[in-house]
Amino acid sequence: MPDFFKTSSHTQDSAQGTNARKEAVMNSIRSELALVNVQELINKATEKCFAKCVPKPGTSLTSSDEACLARCLDRYMEAFTVVSRTYTARISRESSQLRGAAAEI
Amino acid sequence: MDQLQFDDATKKELASFLEREQAHARVNDSIRNLTGMCWDKCITSTPGSRFARGEESCLSNCVERFLDTSIYIVTQVQRQQQQLLQAQGDS
């Protein structure tokens, strides 16, 4: 049996090992979810800004297309921040009194 | 390879951690969806170096009114359900 299998039978470092493995699992879940969120946000921004800035696709993006895309992306992220702020404030306001209704949103 | 073998207490902790993260992800989903929806409603001009007049307040009104709508619809459905139950009880 290879050496690395033996370590699991040592009880001394197993508590520490469990903790480290637990942290590792948590961290990978956190970063996985964060990655998904960013990817979906970028997809959405691409879709919205393409609609606004490239109404008639030519043989390449013009410099004014690109300037519009850059501004659009900035505004989209700003819109996300505004929506996030408003939503969070509303939910925390609401959750004290309307816990049931807020859970269904 | 039994790397993911955990004792019961750790399993429980991970389960509640996962539940919290999933709730968090659901909130993020709603915020992303709302951003897309409210962007279409509120950002009517070509994007400038800042929001045009009224666009920012439109965004937060949009969020608030969407949540109002959600609550209204739920209440309305509950009311209709109650009326239906009452009518069944009367007959």
Side-chain angles (χ1 to χ4, degrees), chain A residues 21 37 40 48 52 90, chain B residues 3 32 40 43 64 68:
Chain A
R21 282 185 300 132
N37 190 35
E40 305 230 327
K48 299 297 183 188
K52 273 220 185 297
R90 172 71 179 263
Chain B
Q3 268 199 328
R32 272 202 327 272
D40 290 341
I43 314 298
E64 297 278 7
D68 286 349

Side-chain angles (χ1 to χ4, degrees), chain B residues 18-30:
Chain B
L18 198 59
E19 217 162 288
R20 277 199 310 279
E21 289 298 314
Q22 280 171 330
H24 195 78
R26 278 196 298 276
V27 169
N28 276 336
D29 285 351
S30 307

Side-chain angles (χ1 to χ4, degrees), chain B:
Chain B
M1 196 163 94
D2 56 0
Q3 268 199 328
L4 288 173
Q5 223 45 263
F6 286 116
D7 55 81
D8 285 353
T10 311
K11 273 183 195 161
K12 218 172 206 174
E13 196 185 336
L14 282 173
S16 70
F17 166 80
L18 198 59
E19 217 162 288
R20 277 199 310 279
E21 289 298 314
Q22 280 171 330
H24 195 78
R26 278 196 298 276
V27 169
N28 276 336
D29 285 351
S30 307
I31 294 173
R32 272 202 327 272
N33 276 336
L34 274 171
T35 304
M37 223 162 52
C38 296
W39 172 269
D40 290 341
K41 278 198 197 291
C42 297
I43 314 298
T44 47
S45 61
T46 325
S49 50
R50 58 179 61 209
F51 281 135
R53 236 178 107 87
E55 283 180 338
E56 189 169 340
S57 57
C58 177
L59 287 171
S60 46
N61 283 339
C62 174
V63 174
E64 297 278 7
R65 295 301 78 74
F66 179 83
L67 296 176
D68 286 349
T69 303
S70 172
I71 291 169
Y72 177 82
I73 296 285
V74 170
T75 322
Q76 196 69 9
V77 169
Q78 281 170 345
R79 189 171 301 151
Q80 283 168 356
Q81 215 168 17
Q82 251 159 20
Q83 280 168 354
L84 201 71
L85 285 173
Q86 244 160 25
Q88 277 173 344
D90 288 344
S91 64

Side-chain angles (χ1 to χ4, degrees), chain A residues 79-90:
Chain A
F80 180 80
T81 309
V82 172
V83 168
S84 178
R85 204 196 302 133
T86 312
Y87 185 93
T88 316
R90 172 71 179 263

